[in-house]
Amino acid sequence: MTRAPWSREPGEVGEIPTMVSREERRYLHWLGRTQWQDHGHVLEIGPWLGGSTVCLAQGMRAGHAAPRHALHAVDNFRWREFMARYARLPLAPGDSFRPYFERNVARFGELVRPRAAVLPDEAIAVDEWADVTRAKSSESDAPFEWDDREPIEILFIDGAKSWRGMRHLLAGVVGALKPGESLLVAQDYKHWGAFWVPLFLQHVADVLTLEHDVRRGSTVTFRLERELPLERILALPDHVGALDVQLAAHALAQAADRLAALGDDLGAAQVELGAAMLALHRGDRARASEVYRRACATWPRGADDHALRNAHERLSLSGVPELTSPPRISRLARLKRRLLGRA
Ligand SMILES: C[S@@+](CC[C@H](N)C(=O)[O-])C[C@H]1O[C@@H](n2cnc3c(N)ncnc32)[C@H](O)[C@@H]1O
């Protein structure tokens, strides 16, 4: 396999906790340094404590001495219990972690502009995990909005954690994205539990070109060739429960095929496994179980099985029946994978 052009970029974030992989960090730096032309802003959705933000900002600085546009970092900045797995901070669920984010990015001054806003998430009763991680309607955060007059050159999405949130985000930025130029960087594209990301982008695949596939991570990037069709986005239901499930499963399979055609068999398998989460969110546990079992049987040999193990845990938690443990990969393969840099 040829080396990715970002493989030698810096990807260190010091003490800042991050949920993105080392290769993704290098990629974000490269993106800011070489792909961003300062023709518009970088909009980051879901920066958490700033690990990804720092990589983007460092890259932007390295490529542009006196930028005219900024890196806008939008998050609801609400601490959730699962975050404690990645960072030990004296915070309770619901508390704001914005002060930590601000401290971590302070050295970039005006280049990084935090903004507290929320993407609306629908509640999914059958998915315990979604319930823990999603925005709560009881929290009175400002809804995400974007001014069309502020062009977006790079949209980095790592905070659209629901079908509804993704729909709201895309509908909100249509007018600010620049056809022929803007990049849509979807961090969750290959995350099996975030099926709405590949599904939405597949739905508008005719106006996008796949540009980058980060192999040791779940990020896939698209260039916007023509304007995003707002009417088509809004014609999709606001709740995942109203989706045409056959069409959705077909779209996921198409998204997976695109990755397989690039030689990314693991990415393709992860996107296909997303059909299990789709089935669960539709309340169809039997189908979720079937998709999971098929994924276990067809998983690329010796490949990272993190997604399968995570699926086993989350689907079990939600009462999906007949889940056998994922096939074991060798300790050597696991060690190799760790050394090669999953965060
Ligand atoms: C996976 S973390 C992002 C990790 C980060 N990019 C990094 O480098 O570590 C997702 C982020 O999205 C934010 N988020 C999740 N749901 C959101 C919502 N509905 N509205 C706004 N922000 C949300 C979370 O607060 C969290 O900071």
Side-chain angles (χ1 to χ4, degrees), residues 31-105:
L31 210 54
R33 188 175 70 80
T34 68
Q35 305 295 288
W36 182 58
Q37 306 290 316
D38 195 13
H39 293 166
H41 300 286
V42 176
L43 172 58
E44 176 176 23
I45 305 292
W48 194 44
L49 294 166
S52 43
T53 317
V54 162
C55 298
L56 280 164
Q58 270 171 351
M60 289 163 77
R61 262 210 183 150
H64 300 266
R68 291 183 302 121
H69 297 91
L71 166 48
H72 296 263
V74 172
D75 204 296
N76 58 4
F77 295 109
R78 296 268 189 181
W79 193 251
R80 307 279 175 227
E81 213 173 311
F82 80 94
M83 295 173 177
R85 276 197 204 173
Y86 301 88
R88 282 174 179 273
L89 293 174
L91 293 170
D95 285 354
S96 174
F97 58 83
R98 183 174 174 153
Y100 294 92
F101 172 84
E102 289 185 346
R103 199 172 61 200
N104 290 339
V105 301

Side-chain angles (χ1 to χ4, degrees), residues 17-36:
T18 177
M19 299 188 203
V20 297
S21 74
R22 191 186 305 158
E23 185 178 342
E24 284 171 317
R25 300 199 294 269
R26 292 186 197 281
Y27 172 68
L28 293 173
H29 190 279
W30 177 81
L31 210 54
R33 188 175 70 80
T34 68
Q35 305 295 288
W36 182 58

